[in-house]
Amino acid sequence: MAVIGKDIEHAAKLLSKGGLVAIPTETVYGLAANAYNPDAVVRVFEAKNRPSFDPLIVHCHELEYANNFTTDWDEDAKKLADIFWPGPLTLLIQKRPQIPELVTSGMDRVAVRVPDHSLTLSLLKILDFPLVAPSANPFGYISPTSAQHVKDQLGDRIDYILDGGECEVGVESTIVGFDNNNPVIYRLGGLDIKEIESEIGKVILREYSSSNPQAPGMLTSHYSPRKKVVLGNIEELLIEFKEHKKGVLLYNNKSIETENKFVLTPSNNIREAAKNLFSALRSMDQLNVDLILAEYAPNEGLGLAINDRLMRAASQTK
Ligand code: TXA
Ligand code: MG
């Protein structure tokens, strides 16, 4: 069983030997391996049970370092990296040959980001290779926002878990690519698109589909608890599912009489809601209930990412 600790030297040693180490980031925990080592990358796919058509994000400690394995940066991409790294922004950039095909599922562009977490930045600085790191959960399940979440699900499949506390942002990074110089959002996430638009102008929001080869990981049913999730107006859902044993996930405080109630943000703050989202879904998944009823967050800013994750959690065929 993987030990939880804060020893970055130990983590670095394991990673250099092709091992798997869970790392904290500001968004969610990642399952890291040497991005230049195809054998180590294969182990990541195996540990997560992840299909190989779903490419991985490569992490490094600064923009300049990313030039070692990427090229042909769009000017706006560089501007975004300058402004928002380290931070919850992933950019799709033309890859260099050092990045194995397996990392990008054969595509020309590699997803790259500089995470905003001091422990992980210190680790990345002492390595002479970048790290692939998908979220450290079994494929399709909710992303982990604490070291213990990782241990619960992948503890017996990985070598070490670097403990950086609870993730501050709580939803994954926003993914941006450039199609003929036009910025496209491939995944809503922890960086508000309004902040991106205030730097580079209007962006296009890519519709997700499981058959979209440009974004193979954006499967409709994802980030999903094992329990059935039903999303909608909570008062109506409570009437409709009156007879069921259920958990209720509320956005903010409401005078609703029901058991197994969880409030995402008691102080009515969208950042707090995002931070709590995945651990709330995890806790509710462990309740002795038949289903989880949930309501939408306000559909703006970070709320777009929260609602995106809730819709995916709800769309799983169970
Ligand atoms: O916040 C995050 O981004 C976290 C932390 C650990 O950095 N990582 C994360 O990784 O969410 P993952 O693998 O769970 O999600 C990455 C998404 C997948 O949906 C994948 O399809 C997409 O990014 N992706 C990765 N590389 C891509 C590429 N070259 N082109 C298009 N999409 C890509
Ligand atoms: Mg993931």
Side-chain angles (χ1 to χ4, degrees):
M1 186 52 85
V3 171
I4 296 180
K6 293 183 192 293
D7 188 346
I8 59 169
E9 303 284 340
H10 181 57
K13 221 177 273 165
L14 290 166
L15 289 163
S16 303
K17 287 190 298 193
L20 302 187
V21 174
I23 55 168
T25 83
E26 79 283 30
T27 58
V28 300
Y29 274 71
L31 179 55
N34 178 351
Y36 293 158
N37 178 343
D39 293 332
V41 175
V42 167
R43 289 189 62 207
V44 171
F45 282 96
E46 286 171 351
K48 276 184 61 92
N49 239 332
R50 177 170 172 132
S52 60
F53 58 76
D54 194 2
L56 307 178
I57 298 177
V58 176
H59 300 65
C60 62
H61 74 279
E62 60 175 13
L63 171 57
E64 208 180 301
Y65 190 97
N67 288 320
N68 292 325
F69 58 89
T70 57
T71 182
D72 295 341
W73 282 64
D74 187 285
E75 249 172 59
D76 281 340
K78 184 157 179 318
K79 186 172 181 192
L80 292 179
D82 270 331
I83 295 168
F84 295 113
W85 280 354
L89 168 71
T90 292
L91 294 166
L92 301 179
I93 309 289
Q94 181 67 36
K95 82 174 191 73
R96 289 183 192 268
Q98 290 92 313
I99 298 291
E101 298 278 306
L102 185 60
V103 171
T104 60
S105 305
M107 291 186 289
D108 295 339
R109 291 188 301 184
V110 61
V112 49
R113 93 176 186 100
V114 176
D116 189 11
H117 193 292
S118 57
L119 202 58
T120 290
L121 285 172
S122 310
L123 171 66
L124 287 164
K125 258 180 225 160
I126 61 173
L127 297 173
D128 54 8
F129 48 82
L131 294 174
V132 290
S135 53
N137 50 277
F139 182 68
Y141 196 71
I142 307 159
S143 300
T145 53
S146 74
Q148 190 58 47
H149 289 168
V150 180
K151 187 164 180 171
D152 290 346
Q153 291 191 304
L154 294 180
D156 56 353
R157 296 172 172 218
I158 67 181
D159 299 303
Y160 189 60
I161 301 169
L162 203 53
D163 186 0
E166 230 180 278
C167 300
E168 280 304 316
V169 174
V171 291
E172 298 82 352
S173 57
T174 302
I175 302 181
V176 183
F178 291 83
D179 297 354
N180 303 318
N181 299 88
N182 300 314
V184 177
I185 305 286
Y186 284 81
R187 177 176 70 183
L188 292 162
L191 181 63
D192 189 338
I193 34 183
K194 289 225 187 64
E195 287 200 58
I196 295 173
E197 288 187 327
S198 73
E199 300 299 338
I200 61 169
K202 202 83 193 123
V203 296
I204 302 159
L205 188 57
R206 165 88 24 128
E207 286 300 322
Y208 308 113
S209 95
S210 48
S211 58
N212 177 359
Q214 287 299 304
M218 313 305 183
L219 303 178
T220 321
S221 65
H222 219 76
Y223 310 106
S224 228
R226 313 257 181 252
K227 298 235 157 74
K228 186 180 162 74
V229 178
V230 186
L231 190 57
N233 177 292
I234 218 73
E235 281 91 356
E236 288 171 18
L237 292 178
L238 281 170
I239 295 168
E240 185 178 343
F241 294 96
K242 199 165 59 192
E243 307 300 332
H244 287 69
K245 260 175 124 177
K246 55 203 168 289
V248 178
L249 184 58
L250 296 174
Y251 175 71
N252 53 10
N253 276 318
K254 289 190 182 53
S255 54
I256 280 177
E257 285 302 313
T258 176
E259 55 206 81
N260 302 318
K261 185 167 81 170
F262 191 98
V263 178
L264 277 184
T265 170
S267 64
N268 205 15
N269 170 316
I270 200 98
R271 286 183 186 277
E272 181 183 48
K275 185 174 174 180
N276 288 333
L277 177 67
F278 287 146
S279 59
L281 282 171
R282 259 171 206 268
S283 311
M284 306 205 92
D285 209 18
Q286 276 147 29
L287 294 173
N288 180 23
V289 296
D290 305 330
L291 78 168
I292 301 168
L293 305 181
E295 65 177 352
Y296 289 98
N299 212 26
E300 56 188 20
L302 262 187
L304 295 175
I306 296 174
N307 289 338
D308 172 84
R309 302 305 187 268
L310 284 171
M311 285 188 280
R312 284 164 205 271
S315 76
Q316 179 121 330
T317 0
K318 297 188 175 84

